[in-house]
Amino acid sequence: MSLPLASAPKSAPIPQGVSLLEEIARLKKSLNAVILAHYYQDGEIQDLADFVGDSLQLSQAAAKTQADTIVFCGVHFMAETAKILNPNKAVLIPDLDAGCSLADRCPGDQFAAWLKQYPGHKVVSYINCSAEVKALSDVICTSSNAEKIVRSFPREQPIVFAPDRHLGAWVEKQTGRPLVKWPGFCVVHEQFTGRQLLRLKAQHPSAQIIAHPECEESVLDLADYIGSTRGLLDHVSKNPQQKAFIVATEVGILHLMQKARPDAELIPAPPSSGCNCAICPYMRLNSLEKLYVCMRDRGPSVTLAEDLRLRALKPVQRMLELSA
Ligand code: 13P
Ligand code: SF4
């Protein structure tokens, strides 16, 4: 996989000598903005954000913010969810092209056609999807609440799960309930393999393997702990007796993990591409420069047709209610 490095912003150049950190702080005040960031953002962005979290925490933070402007340092579906929840706020994103392989490979029209094969099914969609797919869903879930959301339906209720087949398979295993799965996957987590993990484990026998549920089954079968990015961070923070962890997710999570556990050895699981660590090419389109420019120029921003927003809002709200 080729990794597009964060490019320079396309708009007016940044004058020489500008302190990006000072300017971002000044703009934050003048816009009455809150900066939300995902754990896969560069460390320098995580360090200046008002709130860093996983997808569920970020949508909860977006739902309750009093700020006039939300600056979303993450990928498009995350910022779009913030807009679904906040039609009257500006939602800025440093790079509008920051997509997600799961969301991009499940187009709304194809999903609608596919669903026709499953009448009588409830539709549970992973938050890593477009507003169009959300609007076709009964409830949204994230990697931290997928099991709970599926269990919220009566046992005999047939369920469609989209768009991540690996998360779906893991939830099937946890709940013992069959799910009809859209065949999507994350290009980052798909690259971890059980074989490589076993090799790494042989080099670090006392290390625990911790993995995100977007990984394939052969990886999850080897994991001592499986959870969302927040779950992985909490697991490392709350197990001080454990001194080494092999971490099977995007490497950005190591930034706060290492701060929480400076004594721990954190070993990033290598992707099959031959790189040393897994980097989400979409998340890393954002940069400090683009963050500054999007605040300075009040854009790019997320826009949504109101009828689509209202249809997508219902399943997002259902998730927030079930996760309270
Ligand atoms: P989390 O909800 O665990 O933060 O995951 C989001 C994501 O995109 C993982 O690849
Ligand atoms: Fe999407 Fe995978 Fe990147 Fe997460 S890591 S944003 S699932 S492409």
Side-chain angles (χ1 to χ4, degrees), residues 230-246:
R230 161 69 189 275
L232 298 174
L233 179 58
D234 282 354
H235 179 80
V236 170
S237 307
K238 290 176 182 165
N239 284 286
Q241 76 294 347
Q242 180 63 38
K243 298 297 181 199
F245 299 88
I246 296 168

Side-chain angles (χ1 to χ4, degrees), residues 38 40 75 77-78 99-103 126 128 164 185-189 212 214 249-250 279-283:
H38 188 264
Y40 294 165
V75 289
F77 76 80
M78 296 177 173
C100 165
S101 62
L102 281 164
Y126 189 31
N128 297 40
D164 186 357
F185 59 90
C186 158
V187 288
V188 180
H189 291 84
H212 194 279
E214 287 176 11
T249 194
E250 212 267 5
I279 292 175
C280 173
Y282 306 98
M283 286 276 182

Side-chain angles (χ1 to χ4, degrees), residues 124 126 140-152 161 167-168 170-171 175 179:
V124 178
Y126 189 31
I140 301 306
C141 72
T142 75
S143 55
S144 61
N145 61 17
E147 188 185 332
K148 186 176 180 183
I149 299 281
V150 166
R151 284 190 198 279
S152 72
F161 190 93
L167 178 64
W170 181 69
V171 173
T175 59
L179 303 173

Side-chain angles (χ1 to χ4, degrees), residues 102-103 105-106 124-129 133 161-165 182-185:
L102 281 164
R105 293 180 191 176
C106 187
V124 178
S125 292
Y126 189 31
I127 196 165
N128 297 40
C129 67
V133 169
F161 190 93
D164 186 357
R165 65 174 184 222
W182 175 272
F185 59 90

Side-chain angles (χ1 to χ4, degrees), residues 23-307:
E23 280 300 297
I24 289 168
R26 183 184 64 75
L27 286 163
K28 207 167 73 120
K29 272 199 194 135
S30 68
L31 293 171
N32 186 25
V34 63
I35 300 179
L36 306 181
H38 188 264
Y39 293 119
Y40 294 165
Q41 293 293 281
D42 289 344
E44 59 187 3
I45 293 182
Q46 294 189 46
D47 287 344
L48 65 73
D50 296 296
F51 183 81
V52 185
D54 70 5
S55 309
L56 177 62
Q57 292 177 300
L58 289 168
S59 54
Q60 288 168 329
K64 66 171 192 241
T65 185
Q66 298 296 317
D68 296 321
T69 301
I70 298 173
V71 186
F72 213 114
C73 298
V75 289
H76 188 269
F77 76 80
M78 296 177 173
E80 191 173 63
T81 305
K83 186 67 180 176
I84 289 168
L85 290 160
N86 294 284
N88 299 322
K89 295 186 198 298
V91 178
L92 308 178
I93 182 166
D95 193 316
L96 210 47
D97 292 333
C100 165
S101 62
L102 281 164
D104 297 352
R105 293 180 191 176
C106 187
D109 53 346
Q110 287 179 30
F111 188 58
W114 182 77
L115 280 181
K116 290 205 171 94
Q117 300 171 85
Y118 306 106
H121 286 59
K122 293 290 180 191
V123 181
V124 178
S125 292
Y126 189 31
I127 196 165
N128 297 40
C129 67
S130 64
E132 286 80 5
V133 169
K134 287 185 175 73
L136 292 162
S137 308
D138 292 288
V139 60
I140 301 306
C141 72
T142 75
S143 55
S144 61
N145 61 17
E147 188 185 332
K148 186 176 180 183
I149 299 281
V150 166
R151 284 190 198 279
S152 72
F153 291 99
R155 230 195 137 72
E156 60 285 1
Q157 172 63 56
I159 293 174
V160 158
F161 190 93
D164 186 357
R165 65 174 184 222
H166 297 308
L167 178 64
W170 181 69
V171 173
E172 269 181 329
K173 223 172 177 173
Q174 297 305 111
T175 59
R177 298 177 60 156
L179 303 173
V180 178
K181 301 181 290 298
W182 175 272
F185 59 90
C186 158
V187 288
V188 180
H189 291 84
E190 179 90 352
Q191 296 224 20
F192 301 124
T193 65
R195 237 177 61 167
Q196 284 166 315
L197 278 191
L198 282 174
R199 203 175 301 147
L200 207 53
K201 179 82 177 173
Q203 291 162 17
H204 305 273
S206 63
Q208 271 194 356
I209 296 176
I210 60 172
H212 194 279
E214 287 176 11
C215 297
E216 64 170 37
E217 195 177 8
S218 72
V219 169
L220 297 181
D221 283 348
L222 295 170
D224 298 288
Y225 175 81
I226 297 165
S228 75
T229 48
R230 161 69 189 275
L232 298 174
L233 179 58
D234 282 354
H235 179 80
V236 170
S237 307
K238 290 176 182 165
N239 284 286
Q241 76 294 347
Q242 180 63 38
K243 298 297 181 199
F245 299 88
I246 296 168
V247 186
T249 194
E250 212 267 5
V251 73
I253 191 72
L254 298 193
H255 180 67
L256 289 181
M257 235 177 224
Q258 198 71 77
K259 281 194 183 185
R261 286 289 310 278
D263 61 312
E265 186 185 5
L266 303 176
I267 306 147
S272 53
S273 62
C275 302
N276 288 333
C277 58
I279 292 175
C280 173
Y282 306 98
M283 286 276 182
R284 303 309 177 112
L285 283 174
N286 294 330
S287 65
L288 204 56
E289 287 76 13
K290 289 183 195 171
L291 169 58
Y292 159 66
V293 168
C294 88
M295 294 176 78
R296 181 195 68 187
D297 298 352
R298 320 279 196 266
S301 65
V302 178
T303 54
L304 259 182
E306 183 60 4
D307 65 322

